Structures are given as C-alpha cells and as structure tokens.
C-alpha cells in the first residue's frame, strides 16, 4: 500500500541520517530487508521492550519478524497500526493451508472469521533466518547466519547478498545441529514430524532410478498394506500395479512442487480419501531445499532411489 511504501521510505531516510543504520535491526539484515521485503523472509531480531513476552511464549531475548507481500495482509497491518502476532492458521502438524478453504477445514467452529485473500502465491512458508542470536555464531564465535527453516527465499538468493551471507550461511539440520533448538524449537515446522496428512506419505528421493523406486514403493504398498487407492505426486510417468487405482498429479519441477505440494496433499487426503500418498522428491537446490524440508517431515518413510545398475 502507499502508506507502507512511504513508511519504508521514511525508515530508509532515517537510517541514512543515522549513518545507514536501523538501530532496532542488526546491520547484517539491512541488505536482506532491502532485497526481500515485503516478501517471504522472516528475520530473528532482538525483542524490543514493546513486544510482550507472551509473543515469544513467555521467554526469549529474540523475536521473529516478517513484512508480508500480500496486499490484504499489508492492509490489515496498516489499518491496525501495530505489529501483529498470531499463530499459523492450521492445526499443529497438518499440511499448511494455502487457501481459505483449507483454513476452514482445519479451524471450522474455532475462529469467528476467515478473510479470503486468494490462494498463496509461493506455496511453502517464509524462509526464517537467524543472523543475531548465539545460534548464528560458529564454534569460534564468528558470525555465521543460518537458515532455520528454508522457504520462499532460497539459500542461493540469500548468498547473492554477499558478505557474511555468502561466506558463512548455514542450513539447520543440513549443515549443523543444535540441542537447544531441538528441545525448544524457535521456528514453526522445526519439529521432526510436521505437515502430515492423515494418509501415510512415502517420499521417493531424487535419483536416476527414481521411477523404478516409485513403482517398487507402489507395489509394496499394494501388497503389504493392501492399499488399493494411492495418490501420487510425480515428476515422471508412473505405472500402476495390477489391481491398484492411482490418482496421479504431475508437477513440472521443484518450483511447481513447492507451490502446489500442500494443496495436493490435502486434495488427495481430504477429497480423494486415498489409502496412501507417494511423492517423488527433487534435488535440494533452490526451491527444492524448502519443499524437501517439508516432505521429509511429512513422510512416514523416505525411500532412497537405488543407483542404476552398472553396465
């Protein structure tokens, strides 16, 4: 909105008067804010006194902040005149909602109002980055920003900012682990099991033999678990075992999968009522990192595609 754009310009001008600094926001975030806000990037910052402890669950020196790009969300924030804090609009552990209908399905009778701003443009949630707390320091105490949750802003895009983002950026669980974060997650979706529909999900990892591994998984589901109606989210052609009905949704690539995966999981589970869901995974580069992060948490089992037979 014009009001928010003006506020951003005013903040930029004030920062220039202060030598290029926004005193409330660590300097390392400034370039990221200029590049990716409004948008799907959440930053961990020092909790200012104006933010109640209740927002952080009763404890914590940090708070995560995002400026959304959706015009309806921005209009609500502008009308409110204050930062807004709210839980996600879905039951814990379920696939994230990407339409108002998904929210209604999860929270029917539990919320008085649902504002329908249309389907989500990105699909997966925002990227959460920490470049401030002790978690964002390496073993030698040097700044090493970390991605706590991959999302709509890719790791490659963050590294393009240069500086500490290019040199030290790490991804949680892929590049490092932290016992404190495991015991008390600071970001939604950091739990091991999350984003899961009622039907079990089998994830077939990317690889040259993914198509063969997918068929083997379908045969196993049919023979061992007596699944006769299986949903498939696939990048390749899929063959159905005899006596098994498949509902297949084709996706084009990792970006398409990231955009549609939550809606497809819900459709197969809640509308088609399949016995199980098989998803073909993608390489964990660019948008693939975020979607594989979600799928590995949603899956009951991850099947590694075997290497092709040697000639």
């Amino acid at each position: 909105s014009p009001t928010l754009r003006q506020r951003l310009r005013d903040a930029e001008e004030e920062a220039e008067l202060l030598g290029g600094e926004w005193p409330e926001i660590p300097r390392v975030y400034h370039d990221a804010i200029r590049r990716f806000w409004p948008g799907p990037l959440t930053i961990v910052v020092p909790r200012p006194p104006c933010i109640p402890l209740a927002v952080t669950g009763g404890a914590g020196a940090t708070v995560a902040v995002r400026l959304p790009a959706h015009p309806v969300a921005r209009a609500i924030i502008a009308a409110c005149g204050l930062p807004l804090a709210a839980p996600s609009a879905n039951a814990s552990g379920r696939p994230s909602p990407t339409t108002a209908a998904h929210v209604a399905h999860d929270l029917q009778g539990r919320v008085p109002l649902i504002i329908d701003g249309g389907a989500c443009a990105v699909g997966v949630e925002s990227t959460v980055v920490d470049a401030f707390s002790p978690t964002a320091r390496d073993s030698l105490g040097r700044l090493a920003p970390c991605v706590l949750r991959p999302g709509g802003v890719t790791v490659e895009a963050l590294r393009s900012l240069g500086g500490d983002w290019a040199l030290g950026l790490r991804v949680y669980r892929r590049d490092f682990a932290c016992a404190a974060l495991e015991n008390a997650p600071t970001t939604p979706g950091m739990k091991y099991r999350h984003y899961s529909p009622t039907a079990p999900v089998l994830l077939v990892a990317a690889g040259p033999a993914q198509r063969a591994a997918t068929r083997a998984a379908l045969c196993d589901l049919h023979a061992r678990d007596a699944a006769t109606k299986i949903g498939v989210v696939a990048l390749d052609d899929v063959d159905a075992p005899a006596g098994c009905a498949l509902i297949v949704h084709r996706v084009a690539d990792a970006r398409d999968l990231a955009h549609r995966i939550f809606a497809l999981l819900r459709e197969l589970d809640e509308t088609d009522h399949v016995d199980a869901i098989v998803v073909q995974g993608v390489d964990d580069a660019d948008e693939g990192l975020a979607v594989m992060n979600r799928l590995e948490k949603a899956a009951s089992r991850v099947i590694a595609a075997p290497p092709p037979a040697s000639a």
Side-chain angles (χ1 to χ4, degrees), residues 99-147:
T99 68
H102 297 161
V103 177
H105 181 275
D106 285 356
L107 302 181
Q108 189 68 44
R110 300 172 64 183
V111 293
L113 177 68
I114 297 172
I115 299 174
D116 188 352
C120 291
V122 176
V124 294
E125 300 88 346
S126 65
T127 300
V128 180
V129 294
D130 182 357
F132 166 74
S133 80
T135 303
R137 298 280 171 178
D138 66 15
S139 59
L140 298 178
R142 298 170 300 193
L143 182 64
C146 52
V147 173

Side-chain angles (χ1 to χ4, degrees), residues 12-310:
E12 291 274 5
E13 292 175 2
E14 182 180 356
E16 290 302 322
L17 293 175
L18 295 170
E21 297 289 329
W22 289 312
E24 302 87 353
I25 300 175
R27 181 69 184 85
V28 66
Y29 289 124
H30 291 191
D31 287 342
I33 288 172
R34 291 185 175 99
R35 175 84 64 86
F36 302 117
W37 274 13
L41 180 71
T42 299
I43 61 173
V44 175
V45 298
R47 182 184 67 83
C50 64
I51 302 295
L53 272 174
V55 171
T56 67
T62 63
V63 65
V65 179
R66 180 167 73 93
L67 180 61
H70 197 287
V72 173
R74 290 166 63 185
I76 293 171
I77 294 170
C80 177
L82 296 168
L84 296 181
S88 300
N90 66 298
S92 179
R94 296 281 294 153
S96 297
T98 56
T99 68
H102 297 161
V103 177
H105 181 275
D106 285 356
L107 302 181
Q108 189 68 44
R110 300 172 64 183
V111 293
L113 177 68
I114 297 172
I115 299 174
D116 188 352
C120 291
V122 176
V124 294
E125 300 88 346
S126 65
T127 300
V128 180
V129 294
D130 182 357
F132 166 74
S133 80
T135 303
R137 298 280 171 178
D138 66 15
S139 59
L140 298 178
R142 298 170 300 193
L143 182 64
C146 52
V147 173
L148 299 181
R149 180 183 71 186
V153 174
T154 66
V155 169
E156 290 80 2
L158 287 167
R159 286 194 172 126
S160 72
L161 294 170
D164 292 312
W165 296 101
L167 297 173
L169 186 63
R170 301 166 298 153
V171 178
Y172 185 65
R173 283 191 177 274
R174 189 188 73 180
D175 302 323
F176 77 105
C178 176
L181 284 177
E182 291 292 323
N183 294 328
T186 58
T187 299
M190 290 185 72
K191 296 178 181 179
Y192 181 73
R193 190 71 189 277
H194 204 56
Y195 311 110
S196 301
T198 303
V201 175
L202 273 69
L203 172 61
V204 182
Q210 187 180 54
R211 183 175 180 180
T214 301
R215 178 166 175 77
L218 293 170
C219 292
D220 184 59
L221 280 171
H222 183 52
R224 189 186 69 175
D225 300 330
T228 58
K229 188 178 182 182
I230 303 175
V232 183
V233 180
L235 293 92
D236 199 355
D237 293 331
V238 178
D239 301 320
C244 184
L246 299 186
I247 300 176
V248 180
H249 292 276
R250 289 288 298 269
V251 293
D253 51 27
R255 176 174 294 184
D256 190 27
L257 184 60
H259 176 64
R260 299 171 59 197
I261 187 58
F262 289 138
L264 291 176
L265 289 177
R266 284 177 172 271
E267 180 178 343
L268 290 167
D269 189 42
E270 299 164 7
T271 303
D272 299 317
H273 304 292
V274 296
D275 300 319
I277 301 171
V278 174
V279 182
Q280 290 185 332
V282 294
D283 293 328
D284 63 351
D286 298 303
E287 289 84 355
L289 179 64
V291 74
M292 290 301 290
N293 170 270
R294 306 312 193 269
L295 286 171
E296 287 167 358
K297 290 181 173 66
S300 304
R301 185 154 42 110
V302 178
I303 301 170
S310 57

